[in-house]
């Protein structure tokens, strides 16, 4: 039978095909409708700008038509044929039982019998096709197989999955022998790294809905980002990063490594990703700030900024940490962040370009409960005031107001009172705090003295006297420590208010009373020892 070439088809501007219009139209409803009202021209021309699958796929369709509806449909071409059949309306109403849509659908329905490599091949062909129905089916089958322990084996690599019976024939001995090279839970990482970001998003959503292990999902996403970056263009890197961040955000926070998140963030610094994705990443890091290190936080400031480190970023981390999402932040975690922030503030304090408003924001960002001691914060403020000597007293006082003077050690309080870099009001507050400390300590000691000064504690019985003797060295030691602290204060704080001098007198009086008590006890013991022979005689 003679075949005429009365139809010229331009496929996406890539190649032109000369075909028999009658044969092609007998299978395609779209072309049949197009030529119903056509003229009797010797040759018609059709231009497809967006034919799915391009030239390669159109050639498959032409073969199907010229072979009277007969073609080998397999996992490697079923997705291409399916989308092309839908594009050309190759349905039952046109071609009867030879319609391509029905044939491809039957093949897709057998997807549960496909091998792992067949599924990957199909997904690879679907990367640029709008064949979501096939993609979902393939991904659902993949995730279903990953969820089966007997299939999650290191020996299940793409190169060894060429037979349908593979999943049942995997040898346990070979699995053990490959344990050092692969993890049983992560053998599929490399295989699925070929997928596009859009497919990865669909894959992760399917895994999350099936309650797949979030730790493994997170590890895969980090692996995917790293492997894709080797060959990706800047635009592709941008898309990969946003997809990875968005999918990590759907996982349980505790399943993601803080170290890995910071590694991702340093990559983000060189790429202009969307604000939404950046906010998600910062929120994830902030929620785990207690696991961060000082090196993690020392991120350079954005381009064009005068200050050395990105202080605004750390403030955003702190805000995310304190919000805590649905979980209340424990006191222990807050204190870990408090220690970390003291180190960070001390590290950024020497920066001459760091404004006092930013430094103050860092100093007051955490609640007072985050610190058991204010020594670290005092040290950081001391450094900052030394570098920024030109600050006004008002600016200095705003910063110093963040200090809890009661949490300063005696040495730090003495140092602050003599520190010329600090405002005089701050020094006075430090002195008042130290004298209150001393007063409270003395009051506690006086209460103990009143109890131990009672005669009942020395003369009731021999056993009780021995008990008092055993306790006395400890009490004396406590008084001695107080005397030493008082002596330090007298040596370093000459010229303090009269109240401090009165407290010193109380200490001396207490020491004198203690000496009298010791002499009285010694005399009592001596008298008891002299009377013992008379009783025996």
């Amino acid at each position: 039978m003679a075949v005429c070439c009365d139809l010229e088809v331009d496929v996406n501007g890539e190649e032109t095909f000369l075909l028999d219009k009658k044969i092609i139209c007998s299978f395609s409803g779209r072309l049949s409708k197009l030529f119903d009202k056509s003229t009797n021209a010797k040759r018609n021309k059709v231009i497809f700008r967006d034919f799915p699958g391009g030239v390669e796929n159109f050639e498959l369709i032409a073969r199907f038509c010229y072979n009277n509806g007969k073609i080998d449909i397999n996992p490697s071409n079923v997705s291409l044929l399916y989308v092309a059949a839908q594009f050309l309306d190759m349905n039952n109403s046109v071609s009867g039982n030879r319609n391509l849509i029905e044939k491809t659908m039957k093949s897709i329905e057998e997807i549960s019998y496909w091998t792992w490599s067949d599924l990957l091949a199909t997904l690879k062909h679907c990367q640029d096709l709008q064949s979501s129905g096939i993609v979902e089916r393939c991904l659902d089958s993949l995730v279903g197989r990953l969820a089966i322990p007997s299939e999650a084996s290191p020996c299940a690599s793409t190169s060894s999955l060429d037979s349908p019976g593979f999943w049942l024939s995997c040898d346990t001995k070979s699995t053990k022998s490959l344990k050092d090279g692969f993890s049983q839970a992560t053998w599929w990482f490399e295989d699925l790294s070929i997928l596009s970001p859009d497919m990865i998003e669909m894959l992760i959503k399917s895994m999350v809905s099936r309650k797949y292990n979030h730790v493994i999902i997170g590890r895969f996403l980090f692996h995917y980002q790293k492997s894709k970056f080797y060959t990706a263009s800047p635009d592709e890197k941008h898309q990969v990063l946003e997809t990875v961040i968005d999918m990590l955000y759907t996982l349980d926070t505790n399943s993601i490594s803080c170290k890995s998140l910071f590694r991702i963030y340093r990559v983000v610094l060189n790429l202009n990703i969307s604000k939404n994705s950046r906010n998600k990443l910062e929120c994830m890091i902030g929620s785990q700030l207690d696991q961060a290190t000082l090196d993690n936080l020392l991120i350079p400031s954005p381009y064009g900024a005068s200050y050395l480190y990105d202080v605004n970023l750390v403030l955003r981390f702190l805000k995310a940490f304190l919000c805590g999402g649905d979980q209340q932040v424990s006191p222990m975690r807050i204190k870990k962040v408090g220690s970390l922030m003291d180190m960070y503030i001390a590290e950024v304090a020497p920066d001459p370009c760091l404004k006092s408003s930013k430094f103050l924001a860092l100093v007051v960002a955490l609640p007072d409960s985050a610190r058991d001691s204010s020594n670290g914060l005092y040290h950081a403020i001391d450094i900052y005031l030394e570098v920024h000597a030109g600050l006004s007293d008002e600016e200095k006082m705003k910063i110093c107001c963040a200090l809890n003077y009661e949490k300063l050690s005696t040495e730090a309080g003495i140092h602050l009172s003599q520190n010329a870099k600090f405002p005089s009001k701050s020094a006075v507050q430090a002195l008042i705090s130290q004298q209150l400390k001393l007063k409270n300590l003395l009051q506690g000691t006086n209460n103990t003295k009143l109890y131990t000064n009672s005669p009942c504690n020395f003369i009731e019985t021999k056993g009780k006297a021995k008990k008092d003797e055993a306790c006395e060295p400890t009490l004396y030691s406590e008084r001695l420590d107080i005397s030493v602290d008082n002596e330090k204060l007298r040596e370093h704080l000459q010229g303090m208010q009269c109240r401090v001098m009165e407290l010193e007198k109380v200490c001396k009086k207490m020491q004198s009373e203690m000496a009298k008590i010791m002499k009285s006890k010694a005399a009592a013991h001596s008298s008891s020892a002299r009377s013992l022979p008379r009783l025996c005689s």
Side-chain angles (χ1 to χ4, degrees):
M1 181 176 102
V3 178
C4 65
C5 299
D6 55 355
L7 178 62
E8 184 179 346
V9 181
D10 183 342
V11 180
N12 301 346
E14 298 174 4
E15 190 171 335
T16 300
F17 291 83
L18 296 176
L19 303 170
D20 188 319
K21 182 172 68 175
K22 183 178 180 179
I23 293 177
I24 298 299
C25 289
S26 67
F27 287 91
S28 170
R30 183 172 184 172
L31 290 177
S32 179
K33 292 176 184 177
L34 181 65
F35 292 116
D36 273 348
K37 299 179 181 180
S38 64
T39 60
N40 294 325
K42 292 184 178 180
R43 178 177 292 179
N44 298 110
K45 183 173 182 179
V46 176
I47 300 175
F48 291 125
R49 304 280 185 194
D50 53 353
F51 191 86
V55 173
E56 179 184 356
N57 203 21
F58 186 83
E59 189 174 347
L60 284 175
I61 296 297
R63 288 181 182 178
F64 174 80
C65 297
Y66 274 85
N67 287 333
N68 197 29
K70 296 178 182 178
I71 193 172
D72 178 32
I73 300 176
N74 55 61
S76 64
N77 64 20
V78 65
S79 58
L80 293 171
L81 292 172
Y82 177 72
V83 293
Q86 288 186 318
F87 183 84
L88 293 173
D89 291 337
M90 302 177 75
N91 52 43
N92 188 57
S93 63
V94 180
S95 52
N97 60 5
R98 300 172 301 168
N99 80 81
L100 187 56
I101 291 180
E102 183 179 346
K103 288 179 178 292
T104 52
M105 283 303 299
K106 284 183 178 179
S107 178
I108 293 169
E109 287 171 0
E110 298 176 351
I111 200 168
S112 59
Y113 300 104
W114 292 6
T115 65
W116 177 268
S117 55
D118 287 339
L119 292 171
L120 290 178
T122 301
L123 287 172
K124 191 173 182 180
H125 283 98
C126 289
Q127 301 271 29
D128 302 319
L129 302 177
Q130 300 298 322
S131 53
S132 58
I134 300 178
V135 171
E136 269 106 2
R137 284 170 177 261
C138 287
L139 290 175
D140 190 62
S141 182
L142 283 177
V143 175
R145 298 185 189 195
L146 291 176
I148 302 174
S150 61
E151 294 179 358
S153 166
C155 56
S157 62
T158 306
S159 59
S160 60
L161 286 168
D162 296 325
S163 63
F166 169 79
W167 296 102
L168 299 177
S169 64
C170 187
D171 188 277
T172 43
K173 291 183 179 179
S174 62
T175 300
K176 290 179 181 178
S177 65
L178 291 170
K179 231 174 191 181
D180 293 335
F182 299 92
S183 166
Q184 287 189 356
T186 61
W187 59 266
W188 47 274
F189 281 16
E190 201 63 41
D191 289 347
L192 298 190
S193 292
I194 65 168
L195 302 181
S196 67
D198 290 337
M199 285 191 179
I200 289 296
E201 183 174 344
M202 295 171 64
L203 172 72
I204 300 305
K205 288 180 178 179
S206 177
M207 296 177 84
V208 170
S209 67
R210 285 174 174 258
K211 302 188 183 304
Y212 199 79
N213 190 318
H214 284 205
V215 175
I216 298 175
I217 296 176
R219 289 179 62 188
F220 168 68
L221 287 170
F222 290 123
H223 173 87
Y224 178 76
Q225 179 267 322
K226 188 176 180 180
S227 63
K228 278 293 186 181
F229 266 46
Y230 286 122
T231 56
S233 65
D235 289 341
E236 290 171 336
K237 289 179 179 179
H238 179 278
Q239 189 181 8
V240 167
L241 263 182
E242 289 193 351
T243 300
V244 167
I245 292 169
D246 291 346
M247 291 300 99
L248 285 171
Y249 193 71
T250 65
L251 305 180
D252 180 10
T253 306
N254 296 326
S255 65
I256 308 170
S257 162
C258 183
K259 180 180 178 181
S260 299
L261 289 174
F262 271 107
R263 181 177 62 80
I264 288 280
Y265 196 89
R266 291 190 179 274
V267 176
V268 167
L269 292 175
N270 300 317
L271 294 171
N272 186 26
I273 66 171
S274 70
K275 186 177 180 180
N276 183 44
S277 294
R278 187 184 291 269
N279 289 342
K280 287 179 179 179
L281 180 57
E282 290 177 3
C283 185
M284 286 188 286
I285 292 175
S287 66
Q288 300 187 57
L289 195 58
D290 56 313
Q291 300 178 28
T293 64
L294 178 60
D295 287 339
N296 293 148
L297 297 183
L298 295 177
I299 296 174
S301 62
Y303 178 77
S306 57
Y307 47 90
L308 187 59
Y309 296 110
D310 197 342
V311 173
N312 291 325
L313 173 64
V314 175
L315 289 171
R316 293 197 295 271
F317 287 161
L318 283 170
K319 183 179 179 181
F321 173 77
L322 293 173
C323 289
D326 297 331
Q327 299 179 351
Q328 189 174 3
V329 184
S330 67
M332 181 172 24
R333 294 183 64 205
I334 290 181
K335 287 179 180 179
K336 284 185 69 175
V337 173
S339 299
L340 176 64
M341 286 307 301
D342 284 353
M343 291 189 291
Y344 179 78
I345 296 171
E347 192 70 28
V348 301
D351 183 0
C353 296
L354 184 60
K355 294 181 180 179
S356 61
S357 58
K358 292 299 178 185
F359 185 79
L360 177 62
L362 285 173
V363 169
V364 301
L366 289 173
D368 184 62
S369 59
R371 297 178 175 90
D372 290 329
S373 169
S374 294
N375 284 6
L377 193 57
Y378 166 66
H379 171 66
I381 294 175
D382 184 40
I383 296 173
Y384 185 78
L385 294 182
E386 183 175 357
V387 175
H388 301 79
L391 293 178
S392 65
D393 282 348
E394 183 181 357
E395 288 176 310
K396 291 180 181 180
M397 275 307 300
K398 284 183 180 179
I399 294 173
C400 294
C401 283
L403 275 176
N404 185 336
Y405 297 94
E406 293 180 2
K407 292 185 177 181
L408 287 173
S409 66
T410 302
E411 291 77 10
I414 293 170
H415 188 273
L416 194 160
S417 68
Q418 298 176 337
N419 196 333
K421 297 188 289 289
F422 280 70
S424 56
K425 289 182 180 179
S426 184
V428 170
Q429 286 181 342
L431 293 177
I432 293 173
S433 176
Q434 290 303 310
Q435 66 185 59
L436 285 175
K437 266 190 191 179
L438 181 60
K439 181 179 179 181
N440 292 334
L441 193 59
L442 290 171
Q443 285 177 345
T445 307
N446 285 334
N447 292 335
T448 307
K449 180 190 72 173
L450 290 173
Y451 174 76
T452 57
N453 203 24
S454 173
C456 299
N457 293 306
F458 300 105
I459 62 176
E460 281 187 7
T461 61
K462 289 184 179 180
K464 198 163 185 179
K466 289 181 179 178
K467 183 178 179 181
D468 288 332
E469 288 175 17
C471 294
E472 187 168 345
T474 304
L475 294 171
Y476 182 78
S477 175
E478 289 175 359
R479 288 161 178 70
L480 187 60
D481 289 341
I482 296 165
S483 177
V484 170
D485 284 342
N486 187 39
E487 194 62 35
K488 284 184 179 179
L489 285 172
R490 259 190 315 152
E491 291 174 359
H492 293 283
L493 303 178
Q494 290 181 357
M496 283 180 66
Q497 294 103 327
C498 295
R499 190 177 177 187
V500 175
M501 295 175 65
E502 291 174 2
L503 288 172
E504 290 174 348
K505 291 177 182 179
V506 170
C507 282
K508 290 180 180 179
K509 185 176 179 181
M510 184 185 66
Q511 290 172 356
S512 176
E513 289 176 356
M514 279 299 302
K516 291 178 182 178
I517 291 171
M518 292 297 291
K519 289 179 180 179
S520 177
K521 288 186 68 177
H525 282 294
S526 176
S527 175
S528 176
R530 285 196 300 270
S531 63
L532 187 59
R534 296 193 186 97
L535 291 173
C536 293
S537 63

